Amino acid sequence: MTGIPDDLAALIGRPQFAQVSDGAVEAGAIRLFAAAVQDGTPAYWADDPAVVFAPPALLSAWNRPVMWHPGGDVGTSGLALHFLVKDRLGLPRAIVAEMESEAAAPIRPGVRVRSEQILVDLGEPCTTRLGDGRYWTIRVEYRCAGDDTLFGAETLRFFGYGAESAA
């Protein structure tokens, strides 16, 4: 791979930035989301916790970082690996070129969710209408913090660009 720092290349395939949800998944949060999008799926509204599960669209909701808390310390970025790649490649701007979601098992109230970010690949330098840059792919896996069951994953393909010219 052309022009990739060794420490960045060494991250390919290795889970990074693991985090566990601040609290357990709550039926109330599932219902609030379902109400917001007017989704009447019975499993989102059931009273029996063994039946209730979260909509697939909430896959990443349980691991979004808290951006503020008392004491003023700002949380880390939700996609810290993406920002690390941008920084190490000297590409200040990036877009999501593709996104794919995968649902593997239902997320039920009471569980805590662990996420990890995996750098899948780093493409060769290329030029698009946005300019010179490079593609990279990150997979975020969401698992049960208790028993490691895979709940699902999101795979994001980015295009980073906008490096300052050395003129």
Side-chain angles (χ1 to χ4, degrees), residues 56-146:
L58 283 180
L59 184 61
S60 67
W62 316 110
N63 289 100
R64 293 195 180 124
V66 175
M67 298 310 288
W68 180 91
H69 60 80
D73 192 18
V74 176
T76 60
S77 166
L79 277 173
L81 184 55
H82 163 69
F83 290 99
L84 173 73
V85 171
K86 276 179 47 176
D87 182 57
R88 293 295 290 128
L89 294 176
L91 300 170
R93 292 184 285 286
I95 61 163
V96 176
E98 291 178 40
M99 192 276 190
E100 178 180 318
S101 289
E102 163 191 334
I107 299 177
R108 299 198 185 278
V111 302
R112 293 187 70 193
V113 179
R114 186 184 84 246
S115 67
E116 294 178 320
Q117 302 169 37
I118 303 162
L119 182 60
V120 176
D121 70 25
L122 288 163
E124 293 294 324
C126 64
T127 301
T128 71
R129 288 181 281 173
L130 294 172
D132 295 335
R134 173 183 311 255
Y135 286 94
W136 59 87
T137 303
I138 294 174
R139 177 180 169 89
V140 183
E141 293 185 350
Y142 301 92
R143 296 179 177 276
C144 178

Side-chain angles (χ1 to χ4, degrees), residues 10-35:
L11 295 180
I12 295 174
R14 294 182 42 217
Q16 304 292 316
F17 300 103
Q19 73 179 67
V20 176
S21 57
D22 283 339
V25 171
E26 299 173 359
I30 293 168
R31 288 184 180 130
L32 284 172
F33 178 84

